[in-house]
Amino acid sequence: MIGMLLALQWESDVEGMVWRDQQPVQGLTKEGEKTSYVLTECLKDSEPHGITLYVELACNGLFGAGNGSMIAAPDPNRKFTLQKAELVVFNRDVRELLTDFEMLVDIVKILEGEQRGFQALFTANEMVNLCDPANPSSFAAAQSLAQKFFAQKNGESQHVVHAMGHCHIDSAWLWPYEETIRKCARSWVTVIRLMEKNPEFVFTCSQAQQFQWVKSWYPNLFSEIKQFVQKGQFIPVGGTWVEMDGNLPSGESMVRQFLHGQNFFKDEFAHYCKEFWLPDTFGYSAQLPQIMKGCGISRFLTQKISWNLVNTFPHNTFFWEGIDGTQVLTHFPPGNSYEMKGKVEDLINTVKNNKDKGRANHSGFLFGFGDGGGGPTQLMLDRLQRVRDTDCLPKVQMSSPDVLFSQLESDSSLLCTWVGELFLELHNGTYTTQAKIKLGNRQCEALLHDVEVASCLALCKTDSFKYPACKLQELWRLLLLNQFHDVIPGSCIEMVVEDALKYYDEICTTGSRLLLAACESLGSTPGKGAGSSMAVLNTLPWERTEVILLPAEDAQTRLALVKVPSVGVAQVTETAEPKDSVSVTMMVDGTIMMENGLLKAKIDQTGRLMSLLLLQTNRETIFEGCLGNQFTLFDDVPLYWDAWDVMDYHLQTRKPVIEVIEPAKVVRSGTHQGSVSFLLSISGKSTIRQEIVLDACCPYVKFNTQVDWEESHKFLKVEFPVQVRSPNATYEIQFGHLQRPTHRNTSWDWARFEVWGHKWADLSEHGFGVALLNDSKYGYSIHENIMTLSLLRAPKAPDANADMGHHNFTYALMPHTGPFQDALVIQYAYNLNFPLHVFHGVISEPWSAFSVNSPAVILETVKQAESRENALLIRLCESHGSSVTTTLSTSLPLHKAWHCDLLERPDSIIPVSKTTSGISLTFKPFQIRSLLLIIK
């Protein structure tokens, strides 16, 4: 065996890692075609002929541990086997010859009947005639024929394919977070081995979280990665903490994905990413272009829209324009995959599928096993090397994202523009699946917002207060991790759900403690005999008058009406009375009337709204002859992607939930609040208990809902048929809103039978409208005049117990006059999601830290700046879709102010206009602005 290439050949159903000299050296996975580890390229007499290796094995394959289907729930009884563990001599000449034959035969198949296909056929035939398997010396002559064929070059006009190694690793999916750490190490150490042998090989890699994991758990591997980053072979891309879902995270969460990701890449690799890399998420918000640009990124790569079920997206290379007018150059690799294998078919499809022929002559080509990791193989590199410039195929060059996008930018004058969201016509069940994850995300986003606001106020009011920057970073990164595109959508196994809920609990526990500490620093401690002096914090940028629940004394429910200034605090005075008290009356026929001076509701015994009057105009909200708050149940059996998809045919199975267990009854009727409760049966296994609440001074009816849910392949929704006619409905998205049709005229309209939105959706005609608010839901359907909120699903794969159990959530209905902007729908939706915080303390007089004098502008974020302890980062956005000038006022001791981008880098080009009343700011529709305020 002297002079031979020796390898360990290992074939097993499970993933593995070879360890040598206490370091990981090679990933092993049969599914990823990595079944050998080279011991020596050429065995020498002088080398040791004995070696000790360890093979670390996982209890899963590349795609988890399910049985019978890729997306099946993990089977705890599944057995894995080791099929082969041998010391082998590797014959490189045979491998080279086999690769030549494979590529030639593929050309014959793909180009059947064409001149070049026949040339490939005759070349392969001649090679067979020359090659004698019993005589290895004949191989060279056969190989020279193949080389002659592959060396016949293309013309200059041929399409150019930019090949980049890629290894999409889901941060959690059919395996838990902990296994992903090992997947990263297995995949990336293999990439390093390939780079050592192939200096031209370029590999792209996203997700700062995964780099952080490898840095913490495999520090020597991370050091190797950094060396190849410097060489330009291992290229960090994306700029985000994880490849997050593109629909459900809030606008601020999306900013933090980039802030934490870009700062990590800058700190570790000395540069920011230039490209946003999100190949496998389930739709893309129309606010992403502005967020990208604000984080130093003007290029975007994905391919998921090729999965559209109904309509084929018309472009591969184009400018994508967001709701504010920001444009980014966008590329969908025409091969419609982020895990190509370097085959002839992949290359031909890349050219054939390109929808922008004549406009763009360059395409990305991402090769390597993905989703479960694995990455590129030597065979893929060998395939691509053979056809770098071969007649009949596109030109292939090992490239980088920067080179690809630079080429596209240099010839972009003819590119088309797509305006608005990139809506994926598939996987729209992910807006609803795993409701507890959705609830955890929304609550934790609000909590971290409030902790930051309260901590900033405490920092400016109390010299001894220390801003909890390190702890907030930890909590934010947990939240950002859970926004990965298979976690927050709910398309993951039960182990991942358990981890995610544990992280939400950690955020809530620690965040609540931090919030309380900050609140208590804002007021003086009640003295002896002061009783239960209570204060209240408002973290939102407008004055709020609301009914709040005070801490119970002697098991008594205590309510109070409070008025709290914008981003400020006030003392609770339990003597405050509303202008109109709330009344709740049971009528002789069993119906219940609720009224608060603004609204008058009539409720039947099943809890449905028979009527909802807006008293100001005596306008009826509920459509004549219909009932609002109607729960409905649908059969929900997708074609395959169980947790992901809801199909349009489910709409034909509508069944109203009308079986009453406990009819509606009056729970409370008093000055501050009235409420009605009832209990319904969904089935023999599931129930709905709901409390309908009407508060004093509140323009919406609130529905506090508890569901015990034990269904299989069912979909629970709630409907409100309203007395409004409009061809479009409006939905809140990140830092703004957009409209979608309420009709199904075209296939593009029909494909939006289930859509996503955030805290509110609105249906308005001239002079009147109805808004549907919620505290944790994302799935909507507004068809004609029926407003529907999606509540719960019951898929069985990949989590067999998805959504089973007890659920708590709230939604609200708000009729209004005039446009929803003027009716303050946006503000009331924020109020529902960001409750006032009551704490023990004495506030001598109400105090406001910030205010904005235009209702169109939302003060979204107040936090300590990343790099300056004496500076606050203030983020505002225009929410109405209007051009507006406003003034940001503050009572804090302001020293200096700068505009900055979303990475908090000061922008000295745009001057800050300070007046005696504050900072004057001009906004375009849906524009985001950030300021750095230096506090004295």
Side-chain angles (χ1 to χ4, degrees):
M1 292 194 296
I2 301 302
M4 299 287 190
L5 189 159
L6 297 182
L8 167 68
Q9 189 168 26
W10 181 280
E11 292 187 15
S12 172
D13 297 336
V14 298
E15 292 187 88
M17 171 92 89
V18 181
W19 289 74
R20 182 173 181 175
D21 300 328
Q22 299 182 324
Q23 294 300 322
V25 290
Q26 174 74 52
L28 296 170
T29 165
K30 188 175 179 181
E31 295 163 289
E33 297 180 3
K34 296 178 181 65
T35 56
S36 63
Y37 167 62
V38 175
L39 302 173
T40 176
E41 295 283 343
C42 181
L43 183 64
K44 298 183 176 67
D45 250 339
S46 57
E47 283 187 278
H49 289 193
I51 186 172
T52 300
L53 301 176
Y54 294 90
V55 179
E56 172 194 12
L57 296 178
C59 290
N60 54 266
L62 204 58
F63 294 97
N67 252 335
S69 165
M70 182 182 73
I71 62 170
D75 180 359
N77 298 314
R78 180 176 172 181
K79 298 290 193 296
F80 296 93
T81 58
L82 173 63
Q83 292 97 21
K84 189 178 290 186
E86 299 175 348
L87 187 66
V88 298
V89 174
F90 185 81
N91 192 319
R92 197 186 301 275
D93 288 337
V94 173
R95 165 56 67 83
E96 296 290 332
L97 196 57
L98 287 173
T99 304
D100 288 337
F101 274 120
E102 178 200 11
M103 298 298 281
L104 285 167
V105 171
D106 283 352
I107 290 174
V108 172
K109 292 177 180 177
I110 300 296
L111 301 181
E112 183 180 0
E114 296 185 21
Q115 174 70 18
R116 191 61 170 157
F118 279 109
Q119 291 174 355
L121 175 62
F122 276 75
T123 300
N125 187 62
E126 284 187 72
M127 290 172 64
V128 171
N129 293 336
L130 280 174
C131 185
D132 179 2
N135 180 14
S137 64
S138 68
F139 297 171
Q143 284 182 281
S144 68
L145 284 176
Q147 290 166 3
K148 180 180 176 182
F149 177 89
F150 293 131
Q152 292 173 326
K153 297 185 183 302
N154 271 303
E156 290 187 9
S157 65
Q158 185 59 271
H159 192 84
V160 180
V161 165
H162 293 252
M164 295 168 254
H166 190 244
C167 178
H168 180 63
I169 303 178
D170 287 321
S171 290
W173 180 30
L174 304 175
W175 51 87
Y177 288 127
E178 192 174 70
E179 187 59 34
T180 307
I181 300 172
R182 294 186 283 270
K183 280 179 174 286
C184 291
R186 289 192 286 262
S187 300
W188 296 356
V189 75
T190 306
V191 166
I192 296 298
R193 298 290 84 82
L194 287 173
M195 288 179 174
E196 291 169 346
K197 297 177 184 177
N198 303 270
E200 78 288 351
F201 171 42
V202 172
F203 178 75
T204 57
C205 192
S206 65
Q207 306 195 71
Q209 171 70 86
Q210 294 184 3
F211 282 94
Q212 177 65 61
W213 279 334
V214 170
K215 179 182 178 182
S216 299
W217 290 92
Y218 302 90
N220 289 342
L221 172 58
F222 188 72
S223 296
E224 289 186 276
I225 289 170
K226 293 186 79 167
Q227 293 172 18
F228 283 97
V229 170
Q230 290 178 341
K231 292 179 181 179
Q233 287 183 258
F234 201 114
I235 302 179
V237 294
T240 50
W241 190 247
V242 296
E243 288 186 9
M244 73 283 195
D245 181 82
N247 299 324
L248 308 185
S250 70
E252 188 60 31
S253 286
M254 285 189 168
V255 171
R256 302 303 175 94
Q257 287 283 355
F258 284 99
L259 180 67
H260 286 257
Q262 287 284 57
N263 284 346
F264 179 89
F265 290 127
K266 178 69 172 176
D267 292 343
E268 296 295 339
F269 306 119
H271 71 269
Y272 293 116
C273 297
K274 298 179 181 179
E275 309 85 13
F276 182 34
W277 201 267
L278 201 59
D280 185 32
T281 198
F282 312 146
Y284 306 89
S285 166
Q287 192 59 282
L288 271 169
Q290 183 180 188
I291 294 173
M292 279 185 246
K293 271 282 185 75
C295 296
I297 290 175
S298 58
R299 302 157 165 182
F300 176 43
L301 183 143
T302 185
Q303 64 82 45
K304 196 68 173 186
I305 300 297
S306 67
W307 283 46
N308 269 8
L309 194 61
V310 181
N311 300 284
T312 300
F313 194 81
H315 302 294
N316 286 98
T317 304
F318 59 99
F319 287 104
W320 179 24
E321 182 174 306
I323 57 173
D324 73 311
T326 298
Q327 292 188 351
V328 292
L329 179 60
T330 300
H331 182 65
F332 298 171
N336 294 338
S337 174
Y338 49 77
E339 50 171 338
M340 290 182 279
K341 306 301 185 290
K343 289 178 170 284
V344 171
E345 183 181 14
D346 296 333
L347 295 166
I348 294 293
N349 283 340
T350 293
V351 178
K352 185 172 69 175
N353 296 343
N354 180 23
K355 301 180 189 70
D356 296 284
K357 296 180 180 73
R359 295 190 182 96
N361 204 32
H362 295 260
S363 293
F365 185 95
L366 309 182
F367 65 95
F369 287 94
D371 290 331
T377 65
Q378 184 63 52
L379 178 57
M380 296 175 194
L381 290 167
D382 292 343
R383 288 169 180 156
L384 293 171
Q385 189 275 336
R386 277 163 173 73
V387 294
R388 286 176 296 181
D389 191 0
T390 295
D391 186 25
C392 84
L393 297 177
K395 292 181 180 180
V396 178
Q397 67 180 61
M398 194 61 63
S399 189
S400 68
D402 186 43
V403 171
L404 167 64
F405 277 102
S406 294
Q407 289 282 4
L408 295 174
E409 287 166 349
S410 68
D411 193 21
S412 61
S413 60
L414 297 177
L415 294 181
C416 299
T417 299
W418 181 270
V419 179
E421 67 181 327
L422 293 172
F423 185 87
L424 179 64
E425 297 172 357
L426 196 70
H427 293 357
N428 39 12
T430 60
Y431 315 149
T432 304
T433 304
Q434 299 288 7
K436 289 180 182 177
I437 285 181
K438 269 71 171 179
L439 175 66
N441 178 74
R442 185 79 65 82
Q443 289 182 336
C444 289
E445 285 177 335
L447 176 59
L448 293 183
H449 166 276
D450 290 353
V451 171
E452 289 179 338
V453 171
S455 296
C456 286
L457 302 193
L459 182 69
C460 296
K461 291 284 282 186
T462 309
D463 291 339
S464 60
F465 184 83
K466 183 170 177 58
Y467 189 90
C470 292
K471 184 55 67 175
L472 277 168
Q473 182 186 77
E474 292 175 21
L475 299 183
W476 264 110
R477 288 184 173 181
L478 286 178
L479 178 61
L480 299 179
L481 174 59
N482 275 354
Q483 290 172 349
F484 178 74
H485 64 251
D486 277 309
V487 180
I488 189 174
S491 49
C492 52
I493 61 173
E494 189 171 11
M495 291 174 70
V496 178
V497 176
E498 291 169 353
D499 284 344
L501 296 181
K502 180 179 69 175
Y503 290 160
Y504 289 135
D505 285 344
E506 184 176 337
I507 295 168
C508 286
T509 300
T510 305
S512 297
R513 177 174 52 80
L514 295 176
L515 179 61
L516 180 61
C519 286
E520 290 179 344
S521 296
L522 294 173
S524 57
T525 304
K528 288 186 178 180
S532 57
S533 297
M534 306 300 298
V536 61
L537 167 70
N538 171 22
T539 62
L540 297 178
W542 45 79
E543 183 181 85
R544 295 166 68 177
T545 300
E546 292 181 21
V547 174
I548 60 169
L549 180 66
L550 297 176
E553 291 183 0
D554 303 323
Q556 295 281 328
T557 299
R558 299 165 57 218
L559 300 172
L561 183 68
V562 295
K563 178 188 279 190
V564 196
S566 162
V567 192
V569 289
Q571 199 69 39
V572 174
T573 55
E574 296 186 48
T575 58
E577 296 287 332
K579 176 186 174 185
D580 295 293
S581 295
V582 181
S583 66
V584 183
T585 308
M586 174 77 80
M587 310 305 287
V588 175
D589 60 0
T591 60
I592 299 175
M593 305 298 293
M594 306 180 75
E595 188 172 348
N596 70 349
L598 301 174
L599 301 173
K600 184 177 182 180
K602 184 178 182 180
I603 299 163
D604 72 6
Q605 288 199 319
T606 65
R608 295 175 296 186
L609 276 176
M610 303 172 70
S611 169
L612 180 61
L613 282 176
L614 185 61
L615 294 176
Q616 176 187 352
T617 57
N618 203 37
R619 174 69 185 258
E620 177 59 58
T621 302
I622 305 301
F623 193 74
E624 184 178 359
C626 296
L627 298 166
N629 199 37
Q630 173 67 68
F631 292 102
T632 50
L633 195 66
F634 298 81
D635 294 338
D636 185 16
V637 186
L639 295 174
Y640 177 72
W641 296 101
D642 206 4
W644 292 259
D645 289 348
V646 55
M647 312 307 295
D648 56 357
Y649 53 75
H650 87 283
L651 296 169
Q652 300 172 21
T653 66
R654 178 182 178 276
K655 178 185 175 184
V657 177
I658 56 175
E659 184 179 341
V660 179
I661 300 175
E662 297 176 9
K665 63 181 180 182
V666 177
V667 175
R668 182 179 297 112
S669 179
T671 303
H672 295 105
Q673 187 181 83
S675 64
V676 171
S677 74
F678 58 92
L679 179 64
L680 301 179
S681 172
I682 300 171
S683 68
K685 299 174 290 186
S686 304
T687 60
I688 301 171
R689 182 178 294 277
Q690 190 172 74
E691 185 178 20
I692 302 176
V693 178
L694 190 60
D695 284 340
C697 307
C698 185
Y700 56 75
V701 181
K702 193 161 55 174
F703 302 86
N704 296 335
T705 312
Q706 299 178 48
V707 180
D708 287 305
W709 182 246
E710 297 293 342
E711 300 300 313
S712 176
H713 290 115
K714 299 294 182 182
F715 198 168
L716 181 67
K717 307 183 186 184
V718 65
E719 298 174 349
F720 292 92
V722 297
Q723 205 146 289
V724 176
R725 180 175 176 80
S726 175
N728 295 296
T730 307
Y731 302 82
E732 186 196 36
I733 67 167
Q734 298 83 358
F735 299 125
H737 58 263
L738 52 72
Q739 290 189 331
R740 300 185 181 108
T742 59
H743 55 77
R744 294 171 183 165
N745 283 357
T746 70
S747 59
W748 295 88
D749 302 330
W750 175 259
R752 287 165 165 77
F753 62 88
E754 178 82 6
V755 299
W756 65 273
H758 282 201
K759 298 185 291 293
W760 58 269
D762 185 86
L763 185 64
S764 290
E765 60 187 39
H766 180 70
F768 179 76
V770 182
L772 183 55
L773 323 179
N774 77 84
D775 74 343
S776 60
K777 301 301 174 185
Y778 296 89
Y780 295 88
S781 173
I782 302 180
H783 182 224
E784 296 179 346
N785 69 318
I786 301 176
M787 306 181 73
T788 304
L789 184 66
S790 298
L791 303 177
L792 293 169
R793 295 186 70 224
K796 298 303 173 187
D799 177 4
N801 297 305
D803 279 316
M804 296 300 98
H806 188 75
H807 297 269
N808 287 291
F809 51 85
T810 295
Y811 54 88
L813 196 68
M814 178 180 168
H816 59 82
T817 58
F820 69 86
Q821 295 96 326
D822 295 346
L824 305 181
V825 164
I826 298 169
Q827 282 79 355
Y828 281 108
Y830 270 88
N831 291 355
L832 182 66
N833 283 267
F834 293 81
L836 297 169
H837 296 287
V838 179
F839 60 95
H840 288 281
V842 175
I843 306 296
S844 56
E845 61 182 41
W847 173 68
S848 169
F850 293 99
S851 63
V852 183
N853 68 355
S854 169
V857 176
I858 307 291
L859 175 56
E860 184 71 34
T861 301
V862 181
K863 63 180 281 287
Q864 188 182 63
E866 293 292 301
S867 58
R868 293 179 173 88
E869 290 189 0
N870 67 331
L872 301 183
L873 183 283
I874 308 297
R875 187 151 21 254
L876 308 99
C877 66
E878 197 289 319
S879 66
H880 285 183
S882 61
S883 296
V884 64
T885 298
T886 189
T887 299
L888 170 69
S889 302
T890 181
S891 62
L892 303 181
L894 180 61
H895 179 56
K896 289 182 180 178
W898 293 291
H899 287 282
C900 65
D901 66 6
L902 298 181
L903 298 183
E904 304 184 18
R905 297 175 294 188
D907 186 346
S908 57
I909 298 176
I910 306 174
V912 173
S913 176
K914 288 168 54 174
T915 67
T916 54
S917 57
I919 298 172
S920 179
L921 298 166
T922 300
F923 289 82
K924 296 176 182 177
F926 303 120
Q927 185 177 4
I928 306 165
R929 281 199 178 280
S930 299
L931 298 171
L932 286 171
L933 305 184
I934 308 301
I935 305 301
K936 295 177 184 176

